[in-house]
Amino acid sequence: MPTHHYEQLITARWIITVEQDGVVLDNHSLAINDGKIVAILSPAELTAVSATEHINLDNHVLMPGLINLHGHSAMTLLRGMADDKALMDWLQNHIWPAEGKHVSDAFVFDGALLAMGEMFRSGTTTINDMYFYHAAMARAGLAAGMRTFVGCSILEFPTAYGQNADDYISKALAEAAQFSGEELVRFTLAPHAPYTVSDDTFRKVVTLAEQKDMLIHCHIHETMDEVNSSIEQFKQRPLARLHNLGMLSPRLIAAHMVHLTDDEIALVAKHGVSIAHNPTSNMKLASGIAPVQKLLAAGVTVGIGTDGAASNNKLDMLSETRMGALLAKVGTLDPTAVPAATAIRLATLNGARALGIDDKVGSIKLGKQADLIAIDMATLETSPNFDPISHVVYAAGREQVSHVWVNGRAVLAQRKLTTLDEAELKARADDWRVRILAK
């Protein structure tokens, strides 16, 4: 007779816990109650338990959900409209004008839902976002069931959303208050970049982040043009300027950080700054290769992000994880740089640490939330399977992600979205395409 009964049991051919690099559990099961992992069971132990729901994944890898550490979800609606441009040309002459005409509450809500559907289908369970109309992003996260960090963009110049830095900050705090207490939604302060934010505004952000216990999310050292412009305007590199303004701390998630000296890497490590590495976006915009291997060696927490679909053009964290590993190798001419197990950790537990939620998600451990994904390895593309960790990074594709759970709730089952209507998402996207082309 069973001695324990659980709400859910998930049995998988391989379980990658990410608690220790290289460890794979064979034919084990996770027991889940109230959305939390309450037991990890061997095949022998499984005979003594029962469950209301038991899912058998005989040919699958089960692992923590992927954490997208830097994105602009609503920009899925601008996917492919301004490709093959340099960053500032892309922003100033294409993206910002299009956003000025179209970005609204409805644009952000529809674009975010489209992005979340795509992200679920590639194994993402958490998004660290940065955009406008923050309440719309939060509502999308709740509607989809995605763990959502809503980055409140702050700039000095007017957009469709705000007039100046004080206006952006005021709206950010007001909208954050609307969603206080929501488990899946958390707001962050997101000053856009050193070239769009003043010293006074950065100081305000630092003070508010401490007062409100909020993370800070900012583009930093993305291109050499950014670095050189800062030297010309401020007589110092952007990171030095931010350091003098008190921005460097464990609260800061610095997106990109491509162009760093050894001294800057040491400075980042000293102050506990986390970095969101965006390999595909950095390649597509020809920004460069971030020194990930040096950052990891210095003890810096590095996670992985997709950036927005307008500069990637996919929100595919499996692909991004592979690119992160390969770029580290070619950038250092060292084939041992960022091995597969490390790459998985960057895409899961490191992202959770950067967001301050590694006690809840990012690995498979007793007491953590059941943010999980299953990847089907019974395909031609992943046969034979000598090493499931290697296959996740180097061989598997997002089309093999079969199941996704957030807090134990299935948001993708057998490749079908359960919280979102795929046909409706595509119809809304096409409607926006018509509207954008009309203008």
Short mmCIF file of all heavy atoms in Angstrom, two decimals, residues 166-207:
data_model
loop_
_atom_site.label_atom_id
_atom_site.label_comp_id
_atom_site.label_asym_id
_atom_site.label_seq_id
_atom_site.Cartn_x
_atom_site.Cartn_y
_atom_site.Cartn_z
N ASP A 166 11.25 62.13 -14.06
CA ASP A 166 10.38 62.15 -12.89
C ASP A 166 9.01 61.54 -13.21
O ASP A 166 8.42 60.85 -12.36
CB ASP A 166 10.21 63.58 -12.39
CG ASP A 166 11.45 64.11 -11.70
OD1 ASP A 166 12.29 63.28 -11.27
OD2 ASP A 166 11.61 65.34 -11.59
N ASP A 167 8.53 61.78 -14.42
CA ASP A 167 7.24 61.21 -14.82
C ASP A 167 7.33 59.69 -14.92
O ASP A 167 6.44 58.97 -14.45
CB ASP A 167 6.81 61.81 -16.16
CG ASP A 167 5.37 61.47 -16.54
OD1 ASP A 167 4.56 61.22 -15.62
OD2 ASP A 167 5.06 61.47 -17.74
N TYR A 168 8.41 59.18 -15.52
CA TYR A 168 8.60 57.73 -15.61
C TYR A 168 8.66 57.10 -14.22
O TYR A 168 8.05 56.06 -13.96
CB TYR A 168 9.88 57.39 -16.37
CG TYR A 168 9.87 57.75 -17.84
CD1 TYR A 168 10.70 58.73 -18.34
CD2 TYR A 168 9.03 57.08 -18.73
CE1 TYR A 168 10.72 59.04 -19.68
CE2 TYR A 168 9.03 57.39 -20.09
CZ TYR A 168 9.88 58.38 -20.55
OH TYR A 168 9.89 58.70 -21.89
N ILE A 169 9.40 57.74 -13.32
CA ILE A 169 9.56 57.19 -11.98
C ILE A 169 8.22 57.20 -11.24
O ILE A 169 7.85 56.22 -10.57
CB ILE A 169 10.63 57.98 -11.19
CG1 ILE A 169 12.01 57.69 -11.79
CG2 ILE A 169 10.60 57.62 -9.71
CD1 ILE A 169 13.12 58.58 -11.25
N SER A 170 7.50 58.30 -11.34
CA SER A 170 6.20 58.40 -10.67
C SER A 170 5.24 57.32 -11.15
O SER A 170 4.56 56.66 -10.34
CB SER A 170 5.60 59.79 -10.92
OG SER A 170 4.30 59.88 -10.37
N LYS A 171 5.19 57.11 -12.45
CA LYS A 171 4.30 56.08 -13.00
C LYS A 171 4.77 54.69 -12.59
O LYS A 171 3.94 53.81 -12.30
CB LYS A 171 4.24 56.21 -14.52
CG LYS A 171 3.46 57.43 -14.98
CD LYS A 171 3.45 57.58 -16.49
CE LYS A 171 2.57 58.76 -16.91
NZ LYS A 171 2.60 59.01 -18.36
N ALA A 172 6.06 54.48 -12.54
CA ALA A 172 6.59 53.18 -12.15
C ALA A 172 6.15 52.82 -10.74
O ALA A 172 5.68 51.70 -10.48
CB ALA A 172 8.11 53.19 -12.24
N LEU A 173 6.29 53.76 -9.82
CA LEU A 173 5.94 53.48 -8.43
C LEU A 173 4.44 53.28 -8.26
O LEU A 173 3.99 52.41 -7.49
CB LEU A 173 6.45 54.61 -7.54
CG LEU A 173 7.96 54.80 -7.50
CD1 LEU A 173 8.34 55.98 -6.62
CD2 LEU A 173 8.66 53.53 -7.02
N ALA A 174 3.65 54.06 -8.99
CA ALA A 174 2.20 53.94 -8.88
C ALA A 174 1.73 52.58 -9.41
O ALA A 174 0.87 51.91 -8.81
CB ALA A 174 1.52 55.06 -9.65
N GLU A 175 2.29 52.16 -10.54
CA GLU A 175 1.87 50.88 -11.12
C GLU A 175 2.40 49.70 -10.31
O GLU A 175 1.72 48.66 -10.19
CB GLU A 175 2.31 50.80 -12.57
CG GLU A 175 1.53 51.78 -13.46
CD GLU A 175 1.89 51.69 -14.93
OE1 GLU A 175 3.02 52.06 -15.27
OE2 GLU A 175 1.05 51.26 -15.72
N ALA A 176 3.58 49.84 -9.74
CA ALA A 176 4.09 48.78 -8.87
C ALA A 176 3.17 48.56 -7.68
O ALA A 176 2.93 47.41 -7.27
CB ALA A 176 5.49 49.13 -8.39
N ALA A 177 2.62 49.64 -7.14
CA ALA A 177 1.73 49.52 -5.98
C ALA A 177 0.46 48.74 -6.32
O ALA A 177 -0.10 48.05 -5.46
CB ALA A 177 1.38 50.91 -5.47
N GLN A 178 0.03 48.80 -7.57
CA GLN A 178 -1.19 48.10 -7.98
C GLN A 178 -1.04 46.59 -7.89
O GLN A 178 -2.03 45.86 -7.74
CB GLN A 178 -1.56 48.47 -9.42
CG GLN A 178 -1.92 49.91 -9.65
CD GLN A 178 -2.17 50.18 -11.13
OE1 GLN A 178 -2.62 49.31 -11.87
NE2 GLN A 178 -1.85 51.39 -11.57
N PHE A 179 0.20 46.10 -8.00
CA PHE A 179 0.42 44.66 -8.05
C PHE A 179 1.19 44.15 -6.82
O PHE A 179 1.73 43.04 -6.84
CB PHE A 179 1.17 44.30 -9.34
CG PHE A 179 0.35 44.58 -10.58
CD1 PHE A 179 0.41 45.83 -11.19
CD2 PHE A 179 -0.48 43.62 -11.11
CE1 PHE A 179 -0.36 46.10 -12.31
CE2 PHE A 179 -1.25 43.88 -12.23
CZ PHE A 179 -1.19 45.13 -12.83
N SER A 180 1.20 44.93 -5.78
CA SER A 180 1.87 44.52 -4.55
C SER A 180 1.24 43.24 -4.01
O SER A 180 0.02 43.11 -3.95
CB SER A 180 1.74 45.64 -3.50
OG SER A 180 2.32 45.25 -2.28
N GLY A 181 2.08 42.28 -3.68
CA GLY A 181 1.58 41.03 -3.12
C GLY A 181 1.37 39.92 -4.12
O GLY A 181 1.12 38.77 -3.74
N GLU A 182 1.47 40.22 -5.41
CA GLU A 182 1.32 39.19 -6.44
C GLU A 182 2.58 38.32 -6.47
O GLU A 182 3.68 38.81 -6.67
CB GLU A 182 1.09 39.80 -7.82
CG GLU A 182 -0.25 40.49 -7.99
CD GLU A 182 -1.39 39.50 -8.16
OE1 GLU A 182 -1.12 38.28 -8.18
OE2 GLU A 182 -2.54 39.95 -8.29
N GLU A 183 2.41 37.02 -6.30
CA GLU A 183 3.56 36.14 -6.21
C GLU A 183 4.38 36.10 -7.50
O GLU A 183 5.61 36.06 -7.47
CB GLU A 183 3.12 34.71 -5.87
CG GLU A 183 4.28 33.74 -5.75
CD GLU A 183 3.84 32.30 -5.53
OE1 GLU A 183 2.62 32.05 -5.51
OE2 GLU A 183 4.72 31.43 -5.41
N LEU A 184 3.71 36.14 -8.65
CA LEU A 184 4.41 35.98 -9.91
C LEU A 184 4.92 37.29 -10.51
O LEU A 184 5.61 37.27 -11.53
CB LEU A 184 3.49 35.30 -10.94
CG LEU A 184 3.18 33.83 -10.71
CD1 LEU A 184 2.28 33.30 -11.83
CD2 LEU A 184 4.44 32.98 -10.61
N VAL A 185 4.60 38.41 -9.90
CA VAL A 185 4.96 39.71 -10.48
C VAL A 185 5.78 40.53 -9.49
O VAL A 185 5.40 40.69 -8.33
CB VAL A 185 3.70 40.50 -10.90
CG1 VAL A 185 4.08 41.92 -11.33
CG2 VAL A 185 2.98 39.79 -12.03
N ARG A 186 6.89 41.05 -9.99
CA ARG A 186 7.73 41.94 -9.18
C ARG A 186 8.23 43.06 -10.08
O ARG A 186 8.61 42.82 -11.23
CB ARG A 186 8.91 41.15 -8.59
CG ARG A 186 9.81 41.98 -7.67
CD ARG A 186 10.82 41.07 -7.01
NE ARG A 186 11.87 41.81 -6.32
CZ ARG A 186 12.93 41.25 -5.73
NH1 ARG A 186 13.07 39.94 -5.77
NH2 ARG A 186 13.84 41.98 -5.13
N PHE A 187 8.23 44.28 -9.56
CA PHE A 187 8.65 45.44 -10.34
C PHE A 187 10.11 45.80 -10.05
O PHE A 187 10.59 45.65 -8.92
CB PHE A 187 7.75 46.64 -10.04
CG PHE A 187 6.45 46.64 -10.79
CD1 PHE A 187 5.51 45.62 -10.60
CD2 PHE A 187 6.15 47.63 -11.69
CE1 PHE A 187 4.31 45.60 -11.29
CE2 PHE A 187 4.95 47.64 -12.40
CZ PHE A 187 4.03 46.62 -12.20
N THR A 188 10.81 46.28 -11.07
CA THR A 188 12.18 46.76 -10.91
C THR A 188 12.29 48.14 -11.54
O THR A 188 11.47 48.54 -12.37
CB THR A 188 13.19 45.82 -11.61
OG1 THR A 188 13.07 45.96 -13.03
CG2 THR A 188 12.95 44.37 -11.23
N LEU A 189 13.32 48.87 -11.14
CA LEU A 189 13.62 50.17 -11.74
C LEU A 189 14.60 49.94 -12.90
O LEU A 189 15.61 49.26 -12.72
CB LEU A 189 14.22 51.11 -10.71
CG LEU A 189 13.29 51.47 -9.54
CD1 LEU A 189 14.05 52.27 -8.48
CD2 LEU A 189 12.08 52.26 -10.03
N ALA A 190 14.29 50.51 -14.06
CA ALA A 190 15.09 50.21 -15.25
C ALA A 190 15.52 51.48 -15.97
O ALA A 190 15.00 51.80 -17.05
CB ALA A 190 14.29 49.29 -16.19
N PRO A 191 16.49 52.22 -15.41
CA PRO A 191 17.07 53.33 -16.18
C PRO A 191 17.67 52.76 -17.46
O PRO A 191 18.43 51.80 -17.42
CB PRO A 191 18.15 53.88 -15.23
CG PRO A 191 18.46 52.75 -14.29
CD PRO A 191 17.18 52.00 -14.13
N HIS A 192 17.30 53.34 -18.58
CA HIS A 192 17.57 52.69 -19.87
C HIS A 192 19.06 52.43 -20.10
O HIS A 192 19.46 51.30 -20.38
CB HIS A 192 16.99 53.54 -21.01
CG HIS A 192 17.36 53.05 -22.37
ND1 HIS A 192 18.37 53.62 -23.13
CD2 HIS A 192 16.88 52.02 -23.11
CE1 HIS A 192 18.48 52.97 -24.27
NE2 HIS A 192 17.59 52.01 -24.30
N ALA A 193 19.88 53.46 -20.02
CA ALA A 193 21.31 53.32 -20.32
C ALA A 193 22.03 54.59 -19.90
O ALA A 193 21.41 55.65 -19.75
CB ALA A 193 21.52 53.08 -21.83
N PRO A 194 23.35 54.52 -19.73
CA PRO A 194 24.09 55.73 -19.36
C PRO A 194 23.94 56.87 -20.37
O PRO A 194 24.04 58.04 -20.00
CB PRO A 194 25.54 55.24 -19.29
CG PRO A 194 25.42 53.80 -18.95
CD PRO A 194 24.20 53.32 -19.67
N TYR A 195 23.70 56.56 -21.64
CA TYR A 195 23.59 57.62 -22.64
C TYR A 195 22.19 58.21 -22.75
O TYR A 195 21.97 59.13 -23.52
CB TYR A 195 24.07 57.12 -24.02
CG TYR A 195 23.38 55.89 -24.54
CD1 TYR A 195 22.20 55.95 -25.27
CD2 TYR A 195 23.94 54.62 -24.31
CE1 TYR A 195 21.58 54.81 -25.75
CE2 TYR A 195 23.32 53.48 -24.79
CZ TYR A 195 22.15 53.58 -25.51
OH TYR A 195 21.54 52.44 -25.98
N THR A 196 21.24 57.71 -21.97
CA THR A 196 19.88 58.27 -21.98
C THR A 196 19.41 58.72 -20.61
O THR A 196 18.26 59.15 -20.46
CB THR A 196 18.87 57.23 -22.52
OG1 THR A 196 18.99 56.02 -21.76
CG2 THR A 196 19.09 56.94 -23.99
N VAL A 197 20.28 58.62 -19.60
CA VAL A 197 19.89 58.94 -18.22
C VAL A 197 20.95 59.84 -17.59
O VAL A 197 22.16 59.60 -17.73
CB VAL A 197 19.73 57.65 -17.39
CG1 VAL A 197 19.38 57.96 -15.94
CG2 VAL A 197 18.65 56.75 -18.01
N SER A 198 20.50 60.86 -16.88
CA SER A 198 21.40 61.85 -16.28
C SER A 198 21.93 61.37 -14.93
O SER A 198 21.41 60.43 -14.32
CB SER A 198 20.66 63.16 -16.07
OG SER A 198 19.69 63.03 -15.04
N ASP A 199 22.95 62.07 -14.45
CA ASP A 199 23.51 61.77 -13.13
C ASP A 199 22.45 61.90 -12.04
O ASP A 199 22.34 61.05 -11.15
CB ASP A 199 24.68 62.70 -12.82
CG ASP A 199 25.93 62.37 -13.61
OD1 ASP A 199 25.88 61.44 -14.44
OD2 ASP A 199 26.96 63.06 -13.40
N ASP A 200 21.68 62.98 -12.07
CA ASP A 200 20.67 63.20 -11.04
C ASP A 200 19.64 62.06 -11.02
O ASP A 200 19.22 61.61 -9.95
CB ASP A 200 19.95 64.53 -11.27
CG ASP A 200 20.79 65.73 -10.87
OD1 ASP A 200 21.80 65.52 -10.15
OD2 ASP A 200 20.45 66.86 -11.27
N THR A 201 19.25 61.60 -12.20
CA THR A 201 18.27 60.51 -12.26
C THR A 201 18.86 59.21 -11.74
O THR A 201 18.19 58.47 -11.00
CB THR A 201 17.77 60.33 -13.70
OG1 THR A 201 17.10 61.54 -14.09
CG2 THR A 201 16.79 59.18 -13.78
N PHE A 202 20.09 58.93 -12.08
CA PHE A 202 20.73 57.72 -11.53
C PHE A 202 20.78 57.78 -10.01
O PHE A 202 20.53 56.78 -9.33
CB PHE A 202 22.14 57.54 -12.10
CG PHE A 202 22.19 56.84 -13.43
CD1 PHE A 202 22.85 57.43 -14.51
CD2 PHE A 202 21.60 55.60 -13.61
CE1 PHE A 202 22.91 56.78 -15.75
CE2 PHE A 202 21.65 54.95 -14.83
CZ PHE A 202 22.30 55.54 -15.91
N ARG A 203 21.08 58.94 -9.46
CA ARG A 203 21.11 59.08 -7.99
C ARG A 203 19.72 58.81 -7.40
O ARG A 203 19.59 58.15 -6.36
CB ARG A 203 21.60 60.47 -7.60
CG ARG A 203 23.06 60.75 -7.91
CD ARG A 203 23.52 62.05 -7.28
NE ARG A 203 24.87 62.41 -7.70
CZ ARG A 203 25.13 63.28 -8.67
NH1 ARG A 203 24.14 63.89 -9.32
NH2 ARG A 203 26.39 63.56 -9.00
N LYS A 204 18.67 59.33 -8.05
CA LYS A 204 17.31 59.08 -7.57
C LYS A 204 16.99 57.59 -7.62
O LYS A 204 16.35 57.06 -6.70
CB LYS A 204 16.31 59.86 -8.43
CG LYS A 204 16.33 61.36 -8.21
CD LYS A 204 15.35 62.06 -9.15
CE LYS A 204 15.43 63.57 -9.01
NZ LYS A 204 14.52 64.26 -9.97
N VAL A 205 17.40 56.93 -8.69
CA VAL A 205 17.14 55.50 -8.83
C VAL A 205 17.81 54.72 -7.71
O VAL A 205 17.19 53.81 -7.12
CB VAL A 205 17.62 55.00 -10.21
CG1 VAL A 205 17.65 53.48 -10.26
CG2 VAL A 205 16.72 55.55 -11.31
N VAL A 206 19.05 55.05 -7.40
CA VAL A 206 19.76 54.35 -6.32
C VAL A 206 19.03 54.53 -4.99
O VAL A 206 18.82 53.56 -4.24
CB VAL A 206 21.21 54.88 -6.22
CG1 VAL A 206 21.89 54.34 -4.96
CG2 VAL A 206 22.01 54.48 -7.46
N THR A 207 18.62 55.74 -4.70
CA THR A 207 17.91 56.02 -3.45
C THR A 207 16.58 55.28 -3.38
O THR A 207 16.25 54.65 -2.36
CB THR A 207 17.67 57.53 -3.30
OG1 THR A 207 18.93 58.21 -3.28
CG2 THR A 207 16.91 57.84 -2.02
#
